[in-house]
Amino acid sequence: MQQKYGFDHVAQIITYGKLQSKAVIRDVARVLQMPYSQADKISKMIPAGAQGKNPTLPEALEQVPELEEMRQNDPQVNKLFEIAIKLEGLYRNSGMHAAGVVIGDRPLEELVPLYKDPRADMPVTMYDMKYVEETGLIKFDFLGLKTLTVIQRALDWIKKAQGIELDMETVPLDDKETYQMLGEGKTTAVFQFESAGMKDVHKQIRPDRFEDLIAIVSLYRPGPMDNIPTFIKRKHGEEDITYLHPKLEPILKETYGIMVYQEQVMMIARELGGYTMGGADKLRKVMGKKMRDEIPKQRIMFTEGAIKNGIDEDVAKSIFDQMEKFASYGFNKSHAAAYSLVSYHTAYLKAHFPVEFMCAVMDLDMTNTDKLAGFKAECKNLGIEVLKPDVNESLAKFSVQNGKLRYALGAIKGVGEANMNAIVEAREKGGKFKDISDFINRVDAKQLNRKQLEQLIKAGAFDSLEKKRGKLFANIDLILKNISSATEMKASVQASLFGAEEYSSKVKLADAPDWPDLEKLRLEASAIGFYLSAHPLDIYADSIKKLGIKSCQEVMANIKDGDSVRANIAGCVENFQKRISKNGNRFAFLGLSDTTGTFEGMMFSEVLAKSEETITSGCPLLVKVTINKEADREAPRVMINSVQTLDQAIAEKAKGVVISVENIAAVSEIKKILYKDKRGVNKVYIEPELDDWEVRIELEGGYAFADSMIFTRLKSVSGVTSVKEF
C-alpha cells in the first residue's frame, strides 16, 4: 500500500488500552512492592470475562468470596484494592489496530496527527478508529489469518510425510468426503465452524455445495440466525419456497427465497426498483445503518421505480419492507465467500490428510494448553495416535512420524521453544542419545536449567533413556552438575589428559523408587497441561465397567433438544470455581475429564457445602447429574446433584480387594493404610509378583473400606502395581 499510494499517504490506526481488572491489580501490586506470587494469585482469582466484557474489581469481590476475605483480613491487600479500584478503566498504553489502515489522497500529516510507534515501520494515526473516519479518511481492514499458515504447514507436512504436492487452488469444491464430514458436524479445528452451535447447524443443514457454506457463514450471526430453521426446511424440501414476485426468484434462488446477502438487496433495488449501482449501494447503507430520516425517501423511490417496472404498488411496498428487515443484518457475500473458501480448504485437509492437518493446527496453538487438550481429544476421535514427547524423537514443534503425531518438546509448559531446538540440534548433530549419560555430555548447560529439566522429566520426555521418572527426578542436582561440568570442559581451551574418557564417562545415578502411576499421571498433566500418555481413570476401567458408569462422550452423544437425562459420570477434577449469586447464595462450576473428553457442571449451595472437601481431595470423582438440552442453547446444561469419590462408590459394591505388589517394601505402607480402616466384612489379599510362583496371601479378618479415598491411597503406594476389587 505504501509503495502504491506513497509512504506518507498510508498509516495504521492507534488503539488505547485500558487498565482492566487483572492488569491493574498486577501494576499496583508491583508499585506497592508486593511479592509477584501474591499479585499473580490475586489476579488469577478474578473471574474471566464473558461475551467480551471483563468483570470490574467490585464485581469480582462480590462474585469471589475468597477475594473479599483476603481484602478484609490483609491491610496490604485492602490498600491494593482501594488504589486499583480508583485506577481501573484509565488508559494504560497505546497500541496498533490489528488490521486497520487509512489511505489519504494527500500526505496524512495534513489531515491527522501522527505517532511513530517504535514497533512499527508505518506511522500511526493518533485518532483511534472511532474518530479517524470523522476526518474524512476511509478505514480499510487488512486481515492476516493464522489459518493460512496452518494450511501451508499442513501442505509442507503432506509433501514431507507422503510425497504429495497439493495445490489448494486446484482442490475440487464438490468433494463428497469433505461435505460428509461437515454434515456429520465433525468440524473441530475447521476454520469458523468449530463452535458447538456451528456443529449443530452443519448436522441440520447437511451442506452439499459451496454455496451452502457461504450461507452458513452469513446466517450464523445474531439476527439472521432466526432464519436458519426456515433455510433448513426449504433446503430439504420440508417447506415450500415462495417469492413475493417472480423477478425475485433468480436473485434469491440460491438461498431458497431468503434474503441473506447485502448484494441480494442491491440486486433487487436494481432489477425491480430501477436503481443505479451507486443508488443501490446507498440504499444498502441507509438500511444497514438504520438511517431513519432517509428510509421514507428510499421507500418512495423504490416503490415508484418498481411500479414503472410493472410491479403492483402493494407488492412493491411488501418487498421494500422485507428488504429493510433483512438489510439491517445482511452479510457481505464476497466477504463470506472468501472466508468460506478458507473454511472449505481446512475441512478438505482434515477429511483427506487428518494427521498432517492436526499437526499443523496444534503447532499454531502450541502455547495454548486448553486448545491443545481439545485437539488431542479430537485426534483420539479421528483415530490418530498422539505419541508422548521424547528427547530422542520429538522436534521442538509438533511432527508427523509414520502416520502418528509426535508431541512437541516446545509445547511442554515452561521449557521454551528455542531451548528445545538446542536439544534437537544436539541430537541431529551426534545421533540419538544412547542413555542419560550421553545426554548429559552433549547438551549445553546454557540451554537447560532446573525448571526445564523438571518439566521434561514430568512429561516423560526421558522415558526412552530412563523409564523411572522418580529416579531421574531424585537425581536432578547430580544431572545438572554433570551437564555444567561437561559444558565447561567443552568450552575450555586446555586439553585434559583424560579428556576423551571424561566426555564419554558414565554418570551413575543414585537409585530411587519410581512414582506411583497416579502420581506419575498427575505430574505429567501438570507439565503438559492435560493427561496425554494415559488418564487416571484408565486404572479404574474394570471398576467403572462393573458399576455400569458411562463415559461423558456416551452420555452427551445422543442428547437432543428438549431432553432431560439423569446419569452417573466418573471424572478427574480439571477446574473448580466458586461463586456467590446476587442473592448471596453460593454456587460453583465443576469441570471434570474422563478418558473420552471433558464436561462442566453447575452445583448449588446445598450440594457445594456437602461436596467441597471431596472435590478438593484430589481423587477421581463420581457425580450424579441431570442434563437438560434446551432448543435455544448451544450446549446441554449440566446440573450436579451429588458428588462422591470413585473409591467410595467402588467400596460400596466391593466384597474384597486384591493388591498386587512388585516390592516387599510396599507391604508396610499397605499395612499403615489398612490399619486406619475400620473392621468389616471385606477381604483383602496381597499378591507378590514372583517369576516362578503364583502366590495370594489372605490378610486376617475383614475391612470396612470406610475411608472414601482408600483405593487411591493403596494405588499411590510405591511398589503397588494394581488394586482390583471383586
Side-chain angles (χ1 to χ4, degrees), residues 586-609:
R586 297 174 74 227
F587 66 98
F589 294 99
L590 176 64
L592 296 170
S593 73
D594 67 8
T595 57
T596 64
T598 61
F599 70 96
E600 185 175 70
M602 181 182 178
M603 64 179 71
F604 290 121
S605 55
E606 188 177 343
V607 178
L608 176 59

Side-chain angles (χ1 to χ4, degrees), residues 177-196:
E177 288 86 348
T178 301
Y179 287 112
Q180 182 179 342
M181 183 189 78
L182 291 172
E184 292 170 355
K186 297 176 180 177
T187 57
T188 298
V190 174
F191 179 57
Q192 294 192 116
F193 299 156
E194 297 181 79
S195 71

Side-chain angles (χ1 to χ4, degrees), residues 645-666:
T645 64
L646 186 55
D647 284 3
Q648 189 176 351
I650 294 168
E652 288 171 0
K653 300 289 184 181
K655 296 178 180 178
V657 68
V658 179
I659 306 169
S660 300
V661 297
E662 63 178 359
N663 189 328
I664 193 66

Side-chain angles (χ1 to χ4, degrees), residues 640-694:
I640 298 174
N641 305 318
S642 69
V643 180
Q644 66 179 143
T645 64
L646 186 55
D647 284 3
Q648 189 176 351
I650 294 168
E652 288 171 0
K653 300 289 184 181
K655 296 178 180 178
V657 68
V658 179
I659 306 169
S660 300
V661 297
E662 63 178 359
N663 189 328
I664 193 66
V667 176
S668 61
E669 291 300 317
I670 294 170
K671 181 180 178 182
K672 290 177 184 177
I673 294 169
L674 293 176
Y675 183 76
K676 295 177 183 177
D677 192 33
K678 295 177 182 178
R679 289 293 171 183
V681 297
N682 299 310
K683 300 300 296 181
V684 175
Y685 299 89
I686 292 180
E687 284 190 350
E689 294 184 353
L690 305 172
D691 293 334
D692 302 322
W693 298 88
E694 288 187 9

Side-chain angles (χ1 to χ4, degrees), residues 322-339:
Q322 197 176 71
M323 288 167 62
E324 184 183 352
K325 176 185 174 184
F326 284 95
S328 62
Y329 46 65
F331 204 64
N332 184 288
K333 185 183 179 183
S334 57
H335 180 90
Y339 267 56

